[in-house]
Amino acid sequence: MSIISEILVVVPARGGSKRVKNKNIRLINNKPMIKWTLNELMKVIDKNKIIISTDDEKTKRIVEEVGLKVPFTRPAEISDDFTPTQDVAKHALNWYEKNNSKIKYTLIIYPTAILLKHVDLLHAYNFMKKNSSCSVFFTAGQFSHPIERAFRLDNKKQFKMINPNFYKKRTQDFE
């Protein structure tokens, strides 16, 4: 299989998750979660073009175990709970282009994407190459029921409809 060298992959792997402590390195089937993702990436992406943006030493050690380098420690100002992923990706891309060369495509893959398959990356890459007007490619899933009928759990642990106006509307009447 050929290795794709036109893509810079940014893996935002901050160490300070509040909801699930150490989620990026939690064991899934006896392997840290991030390893599942990195192993698939390395099947098709040049390993010098996979940047793990982390502020966490444990994550860094695990990344190095699979043969990748963590070229910088993510700065504190983009390592908090409120930093958008795009800021992390922009920082990594700027670092890469300053220290290496210009890049054609940037791909963001979360370390928790343990179901990622390298064939899906190849499909996306080939689609982007064939469709030069396409500037963004992302994955999405289809809801089995209309999203308008969705619920959320509120602060009091009560289920509330996201949009109560649709309570009496039949599901077959939605798009």
Side-chain angles (χ1 to χ4, degrees):
M1 189 163 299
S2 65
I3 291 182
I4 303 169
S5 61
E6 295 177 293
I7 296 176
L8 177 70
V9 177
V10 178
V11 180
R14 187 172 72 89
S17 174
K18 301 292 186 274
R19 288 180 294 165
V20 180
K21 189 171 171 63
N22 297 315
K23 75 176 171 199
N24 298 325
I25 59 173
R26 295 280 294 258
L27 296 182
I28 302 291
N29 201 18
N30 298 317
K31 188 189 304 187
M33 194 175 313
I34 194 170
K35 278 190 177 183
W36 291 99
T37 305
L38 297 178
N39 287 337
E40 284 300 305
L41 286 171
M42 291 189 305
K43 289 177 182 177
V44 292
I45 305 291
D46 179 336
K47 74 178 191 173
N48 296 313
K49 301 247 175 100
I50 301 173
I51 293 188
I52 291 71
S53 177
T54 189
D55 59 342
D56 182 60
E57 280 301 314
K58 291 177 191 172
T59 300
K60 181 180 177 183
R61 281 193 301 275
I62 289 169
V63 166
E64 290 170 347
E65 283 176 14
V66 299
L68 294 173
K69 294 177 184 167
V70 177
F72 56 80
T73 299
R74 188 192 307 181
E77 61 269 14
I78 58 169
S79 293
D80 63 26
D81 295 344
F82 302 100
T83 301
T85 300
Q86 64 218 41
D87 292 357
V88 175
K90 187 184 291 187
H91 172 265
L93 176 62
N94 288 341
W95 180 92
Y96 185 87
E97 289 187 339
K98 180 181 176 192
N99 292 284
N100 296 282
S101 61
K102 289 282 184 195
I103 203 74
K104 186 166 184 173
Y105 302 108
T106 304
L107 173 64
I108 300 166
I109 298 286
Y110 292 104
T112 55
I114 63 171
L115 299 178
L116 175 73
K117 298 293 176 217
H118 68 278
V119 293
D120 295 327
L121 296 171
L122 289 173
H123 171 73
Y125 173 71
N126 289 328
F127 182 88
M128 294 286 288
K129 282 187 73 162
K130 289 178 187 164
N131 297 282
S132 60
S133 65
C134 181
S135 62
V136 175
F137 194 101
F138 64 94
T139 60
Q142 185 175 18
F143 286 97
S144 59
H145 295 301
I147 188 71
E148 296 87 353
R149 295 286 299 270
F151 288 83
R152 66 175 174 80
L153 196 59
D154 70 12
N155 299 358
K156 297 176 185 173
K157 305 288 186 210
Q158 300 290 315
F159 284 102
K160 302 287 181 186
M161 282 194 77
I162 290 176
N163 194 334
N165 295 333
F166 295 129
Y167 178 73
K168 292 186 176 181
K169 191 169 181 177
R170 300 175 327 146
T171 56
Q172 60 266 42
D173 292 334
F174 291 110
E175 284 186 36

